[in-house]
Amino acid sequence: MTELHSTTTPLTPADFWTPERLARLSSNQQTHAAQILTDFYNIYQQVTGTRQAWTPTGVTAALTALPLTVEQPHNYFVAVVPVLSEFFKVQTGKDWPAFERVLKAARPQLVEKHTTAKVNQEQHDYENVVAEVEGWVQDMRRTPQVANLTASDQRHFGNIVHVVTELLVTGKHLQPVDWQPDNLAAVMFGPFTHLLDESQRVAALYHLIPFALTHLFDYLEATEEGLLHAQALRDWVREHHTALVTMYDPKMEAFFEQVTTAMQKQGIDTQDKAAVDRFTQQYLRTNPELGRELFATDAQLKAVKRRGHRPAFSRKHRRRR
């Protein structure tokens, strides 16, 4: 690679990470952003002898040294390339493409190095999925449709893509090439809402679901991942648009939490769907006024919600985003 002239004097982490810039990052990236930039500054100075300018060669050396120098959790290293990408886009101007190539080339090694012996194979596989999906999200954010979203909607977009993909790949053990409408229905009208943080369960996120899913299917169909049933998945999203954008009902969510607590007190196996169904039916017979209140809703929404029981899904391996 031909070396470029050094770029502008670096900003300090405190100067660079304004609230507006942080808002463009995912929750995990925001958590580690300041530490990543501070560590990178220090290592860059050690390997190049300067903090006054950036060069692609210096960045490559610093990224190589980073995992050998700092002791951080795996999620930190997953966030390194997205965080530094935001930084270098601002710092390098017209030279950004050369730095982008350096960052992309370093990502596989950074992500792979920090799966330690303490992490079991299942968690290892999950973290690799998270890293891969984050790469998809970053690619899609460069498209005009996603780039034109507000910072808040970009966060919602990323959260939707992550949760749906993690449910299908690590929950259903289905690679994108095998995704079909039935699989999508099972995760959307079931565990999807349950895996969102409470702060993420807002109308703006749900209104964005059809757009995010359609854009994800378009992206995967056009990449090497492949998506054999892309059109069928897009058709399913279009047919269930109303149910998707209105599926979160706080009363229903509170009901599932209440029933889960009651089942745990009775020693019911919440992973046994038949037992969950029997207990839920008995619970509603015992509390008929609750049943009338909960199910006096839109017929379509009621139908799809009955297909998914929050208690019958294990979330023990998923980290908070």
Side-chain angles (χ1 to χ4, degrees):
M1 179 179 68
T2 302
E3 186 57 275
L4 303 175
H5 293 299
S6 58
T7 64
T8 56
T9 301
L11 295 170
T12 66
D15 291 334
F16 183 79
W17 290 123
T18 63
E20 181 181 0
R21 285 178 177 137
L22 279 172
R24 292 198 289 265
L25 302 178
S26 70
S27 298
N28 181 59
Q29 292 159 15
Q30 289 183 39
T31 298
H32 298 291
Q35 189 62 52
I36 287 171
L37 202 49
T38 298
D39 292 342
F40 190 80
Y41 263 85
N42 294 334
I43 294 170
Y44 189 87
Q45 183 179 33
Q46 292 172 24
V47 299
T48 66
T50 180
R51 283 192 185 186
Q52 298 307 307
W54 304 115
T55 65
T57 298
V59 171
T60 297
L63 288 172
T64 302
L66 181 66
L68 306 175
T69 308
V70 301
E71 192 66 38
Q72 293 288 353
H74 183 68
N75 289 351
Y76 168 101
F77 290 93
V78 169
V80 166
V81 169
V83 166
L84 291 181
S85 294
E86 289 296 323
F87 175 73
F88 281 114
K89 284 176 191 175
V90 176
Q91 286 284 278
T92 59
K94 62 182 177 60
D95 293 332
W96 159 241
F99 288 84
E100 183 181 28
R101 288 192 293 272
V102 165
L103 290 166
K104 281 188 173 181
R107 183 182 178 89
Q109 183 183 23
L110 287 167
V111 172
E112 184 61 26
K113 270 186 175 293
H114 289 271
T115 303
T116 68
K118 295 180 182 179
V119 181
N120 62 34
Q121 185 62 44
E122 189 173 10
Q123 188 68 13
H124 176 193
D125 293 343
Y126 167 72
E127 295 291 355
N128 284 341
V129 170
V130 171
E132 183 176 22
V133 176
E134 188 60 30
W136 300 351
V137 172
Q138 295 303 319
D139 286 345
M140 288 186 281
R141 280 180 175 161
R142 297 186 185 96
T143 65
Q145 301 97 312
V146 180
N148 289 333
L149 295 175
T150 65
S152 176
D153 280 347
Q154 286 198 25
R155 288 197 303 276
H156 294 324
F157 177 88
N159 286 328
I160 292 166
V161 171
H162 267 283
V163 172
V164 172
T165 304
E166 290 165 24
L167 284 169
L168 287 168
V169 175
T170 66
K172 295 286 186 181
H173 305 293
L174 295 170
Q175 292 303 310
V177 69
D178 299 316
W179 294 358
Q180 297 192 48
D182 285 349
N183 314 137
L184 186 61
V187 300
M188 295 309 302
F189 300 133
F192 175 81
T193 288
H194 192 52
L195 261 67
L196 293 173
D197 292 343
E198 186 174 353
S199 62
Q200 296 168 342
R201 299 172 192 173
V202 294
L205 182 145
Y206 287 89
H207 291 165
L208 204 61
I209 287 175
F211 169 82
L213 290 178
T214 300
H215 204 71
L216 173 63
F217 300 151
D218 290 345
Y219 171 78
L220 292 177
E221 185 181 33
T223 66
E224 69 275 6
E225 308 297 332
L227 202 64
L228 291 181
H229 308 288
Q231 189 55 52
L233 291 164
R234 286 190 289 263
D235 290 342
W236 184 91
V237 171
R238 186 176 61 254
E239 292 165 4
H240 294 83
H241 183 281
T242 299
L244 290 168
V245 300
T246 61
M247 68 179 172
Y248 178 56
D249 181 342
K251 289 183 179 179
M252 184 65 79
E253 188 67 16
F255 167 71
F256 281 120
E257 297 296 338
Q258 185 177 338
V259 171
T260 301
T261 300
M263 280 191 286
Q264 290 170 343
K265 289 181 179 178
Q266 294 295 320
I268 303 296
D269 180 3
T270 57
Q271 300 305 302
D272 183 339
K273 291 188 177 182
V276 168
D277 285 338
R278 287 194 299 271
F279 186 91
T280 302
Q281 291 166 12
Q282 180 58 45
Y283 193 86
L284 288 172
R285 283 195 292 269
T286 306
N287 301 275
E289 71 290 345
L290 179 60
R292 286 192 295 270
E293 181 182 359
L294 285 172
F295 294 101
T297 57
D298 175 79
Q300 181 191 21
L301 183 58
K302 181 168 59 177
V304 297
K305 281 186 175 179
R306 278 175 170 170
R307 294 172 59 182
H309 293 285
R310 307 292 198 278
F313 179 78
S314 172
R315 61 186 299 171
K316 67 178 181 177
H317 291 288
R318 188 174 192 273
R319 61 173 170 78
R320 286 289 189 184
R321 289 191 54 74

